[in-house]
């Protein structure tokens, strides 16, 4: 069982979305089962149910590690914790990794102690060493800056930056910027309306946010917003 401080404790049927200190990981917790439509996120996803299996397409296990850019459906039958991990932090792989009960317990304990990334690196290996310009560009993308401004900051043309980022990370920079905006919007779903969260994160309108959320998470913003608590945008 994940140990939380009183301020973090979830109420019945509550949901929580927030960054892990140190960057690179965002946590989503839900006190109930879930089933999500086919989607494809540009980051790693670790699914840690409290009980029962996690399912991604035809694969199930006590827990699952889903790689970036893999289209899949997903389901859990109990309360669960999901970690979303920046793609460049772990060694690339194409297939879903099944976690046994011991690995799930270790991951939950590591999250509680702030060592989740260390545990994941031990499990699958470290990501590639990034070109410093790409690393800086990824930090700026998380701050929702336009690609043209990012390219100017790192001393590259926009086309060269896009090509270098994709070669280094394996994922288009535009997809990573979509994810950064979506993370920021979900973190702001405690605002008065979903439209307010969409505008704050730089989406054209609420419909644009809804399309992005369904494509990257398999869920609508409304389904994520129930009892959502605003928190700083994940980095």
């Amino acid at each position: 069982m994940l140990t939380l401080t009183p301020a973090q404790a979830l109420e019945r049927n509550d949901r929580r979305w927030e960054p892990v200190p140190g960057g690179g990981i965002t946590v989503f917790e839900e006190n109930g089962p879930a089933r999500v439509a086919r989607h494809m996120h540009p980051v790693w996803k670790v699914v840690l149910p409290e009980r029962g299996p996690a399912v991604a397409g035809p694969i199930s296990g006590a827990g699952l590690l889903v790689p970036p850019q893999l289209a899949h459906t997903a389901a859990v039958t109990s309360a669960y914790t999901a970690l979303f991990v920046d793609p460049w932090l772990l060694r690339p792989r194409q297939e879903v990794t099944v976690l046994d009960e011991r690995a799930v317990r270790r991951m939950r304990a590591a999250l509680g102690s702030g060592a989740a990334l260390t545990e994941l690196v031990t499990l699958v290996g470290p990501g590639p060493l990034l070109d410093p310009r790409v690393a800086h560009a990824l930090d700026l993308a998380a701050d929702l800056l336009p690609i043209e401004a990012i390219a100017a900051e790192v001393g590259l043309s926009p086309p060269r930056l896009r090509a270098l980022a994709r070669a280094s990370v394996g994922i288009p920079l535009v997809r990573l910027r979509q994810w950064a905006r979506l993370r920021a919007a979900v973190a702001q779903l405690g605002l008065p309306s979903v439209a307010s969260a969409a505008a704050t994160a730089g989406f054209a309108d609420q419909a644009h946010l809804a399309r992005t959320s369904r494509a990257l998470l398999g869920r609508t913003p409304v389904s994520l917003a129930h009892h959502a608590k605003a928190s700083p945008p994940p980095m």
Side-chain angles (χ1 to χ4, degrees), residues 129-199:
L129 184 64
L130 295 178
D131 182 305
R133 295 170 297 179
V134 172
H136 187 39
L138 293 171
D139 287 339
L140 295 174
D143 289 335
L144 310 182
L145 292 180
I147 289 180
E148 292 74 17
I150 296 172
E153 173 70 19
V154 300
L156 296 169
S157 68
R160 177 57 181 156
L161 173 59
R162 291 187 184 96
L164 190 59
R166 180 156 192 171
S168 301
V169 180
I171 297 169
L173 187 57
V174 65
R175 289 276 292 173
L176 297 173
R177 291 183 70 251
Q178 283 180 331
W179 177 254
R181 286 201 303 271
L182 180 59
R183 288 192 304 186
V186 174
Q188 297 298 325
L189 286 175
L191 293 176
S193 69
V194 175
S196 298

Side-chain angles (χ1 to χ4, degrees), residues 71-94:
H72 65 286
T73 58
V76 291
T77 57
S78 71
Y80 67 97
T81 300
L83 313 183
F84 296 96
V85 184
D86 287 342
W88 54 89
L89 296 178
L90 301 176
R91 180 178 297 160
R93 60 174 59 190
Q94 302 298 318

Side-chain angles (χ1 to χ4, degrees), residues 11 17 74-75 81 99 119-120 157 172 179 187 191 195 200-201 206 218 223:
E11 299 173 2
W17 170 281
T81 300
L99 307 179
E119 187 68 26
L120 284 169
S157 68
W179 177 254
L191 293 176
T200 299
Q206 184 174 338
S223 77

